[in-house]
Amino acid sequence: MTIATVDPTTGETLEEFTPHTAAEVEDRIAAAHAAYLELASTTIAQRAEWMRAAAGILESEVDQVSELITTEMGKTLGQARYETLKSATGMRFFADNAERYLAPEHPVEAGAVNASALSVRFDPIGVVLAVMPWNYPLWQCIRFAAPALMAGNTGLLKHASNVPQSALYLGELFARGGFPKGAFQTLLIEGGAVAPLLDDRRIRAATLTGSVAAGASVAEAAGRNVKKTVLELGGTDVFIVLPSADVPRAATFGVNARVQNSGQSCIAAKRYYVHTDVYDEFADAFVAGMAATVAGDPRDEATTFGPLATSRGRDDVQELVDDAVAKGATVLTGGSVPDGPGWFYPATVLTDVTPSMRIFREECFGPVACLYRVDSLDEAISRSNDSDFGLSSSVWTTDTAEIDRLTRSLDFGGVFVNGLTASFPGVPFGGVKDSGYGRELSAFGIREFTNAKTVWQA
Ligand code: NDP
């Protein structure tokens, strides 16, 4: 994939970038390793000061950064602004909480293991390679970078090829805040150039957010080298509506759950399982809500969501819809590419989706919802779990017994009750099955790339 900024609103190529040469990549790995050794002699308090300074810079540049995000991947300016400020908040959160999350633990009384003192420290492990996607060009990176740097690791960012300017901005941000120059840098390289980097002894681990294929490729190379990975690989999240739910509210949130970020979100709801008792009421409100959204100019405040980020991404969405329609699915709204420039795609609702259709199992990375009628709670649960993915779920019911069943039985990394799945700096985020493994954010996230070092003293 060419490394370039191509405006999804117009399809115009604005700037192309030459990939880093092998020598330039080597310089950056060496700098990242040197910065790691330098960070080892700093305190968490010092790193927190730099992190807060970097967050302050990001906040002061919110207008410029939001414009850049919108230009590179097409989300609305409002959403880009929200993402930028959320990223700064996340940075401050880890500045404030790293000390607590990384405080040594005392798993048992020292005397129980014949020691005078016993503790577990959470020490950094070194340079971590981060392979990141374009859908949240800032936040996806920050949620790795902030905890990793606070733990004393350094980062090399291989960002998606369609957001190079966002990548270069991030590659400077932490040094501008005060971190050693090599602590967080961008590698301008293509996806195929990533796996060989795992052979380098100075790179100790990798994290990847993106497709299953990309994740498997990085995990394979890391596995060969006995290096840890954290993978966040998308999903086909469910949205379950049961009879006791506030149905109009569920329908309103259901629309947002599917069209957020033009549907290009791993945690966007994709499969809607609605109990037959409230199916018609929900379907009418949901389809009307989807039809009322405006897919348009991301700089216009009247727009609900902007274009899809890439031409290929839109082709993928249309192929999934065409395949479903050819095999008998019914389109309740949307379903076809509009005329005109830019990679726009309308909010779309399909019913009569069957297992023979690709969209029944595959992740659709665009604003296309599949609506299913279910007869019982058991059916909602079993059909939800009948998926290769298991990232998150949103369930709508006020019945406490149902909530208990759902939270225990749904095979996902998260269950959000009467609300949308979302990421918060202090809450673990991640999935099961093909959605990946490991957790980002919270104490779980910051500890993923640490050495839980046992210190036993006679
Ligand atoms: P990719 O998985 O291809 O891209 C994500 C990141 O991985 C990019 O930085 C990409 O670099 C890199 N990459 C791609 N192939 C490899 C590889 N073999 N080894 C190492 N790194 C690699 O996602 P796409 O953008 O192509 O989207 C395809 C699908 O992936 C989507 O339709 C969606 O289903 C899923 N996806 C999920 C995301 C999530 O949030 N979980 C985010 C993005 C995509 P480069 O850009 O240079 O190819």
Side-chain angles (χ1 to χ4, degrees), residues 131-135 158 160-161 191 194 211 214 217 234 266 312 363 365:
V131 183
M132 290 290 149
W134 43 263
N135 56 344
K158 182 280 178 271
S161 292
V194 170
S211 61
S217 160
C266 49
R312 195 196 69 192
E363 177 175 34
F365 226 50

Side-chain angles (χ1 to χ4, degrees), residues 31-51:
H33 188 248
Y36 163 63
L37 298 177
E38 197 179 333
L39 274 190
S41 61
T42 59
T43 60
I44 291 181
Q46 171 66 82
R47 302 198 285 270
E49 201 176 295
W50 294 333
M51 187 61 70

Side-chain angles (χ1 to χ4, degrees), residues 129 131-132 205-209 218 228-233 429 436-440 445 448-449:
L129 178 65
V131 183
M132 290 290 149
T207 181
L208 180 142
T209 301
V218 167
K228 184 174 182 179
T229 46
V230 167
L231 300 180
E232 202 275 270
L233 306 178
F429 185 102
Y437 50 75
R439 291 292 177 267
E440 295 185 286
E448 288 282 4
F449 297 117

Side-chain angles (χ1 to χ4, degrees), residues 1-3 130-136 140 143 158-162 189-195 208-215 217-218 232-235 264-267 270 310 312-313 316 363-366 389 391:
M1 196 170 168
T2 313
I3 301 176
V131 183
M132 290 290 149
W134 43 263
N135 56 344
Y136 293 90
Q140 298 277 15
R143 68 193 204 179
K158 182 280 178 271
H159 216 326
S161 292
N162 57 324
I189 55 172
E190 287 160 10
V194 170
L208 180 142
T209 301
S211 61
V212 176
S217 160
V218 167
E232 202 275 270
L233 306 178
Q264 306 163 118
S265 174
C266 49
I267 51 169
K270 286 148 199 161
T310 63
R312 195 196 69 192
D316 290 347
E363 177 175 34
C364 181
F365 226 50
F389 292 100
L391 190 56

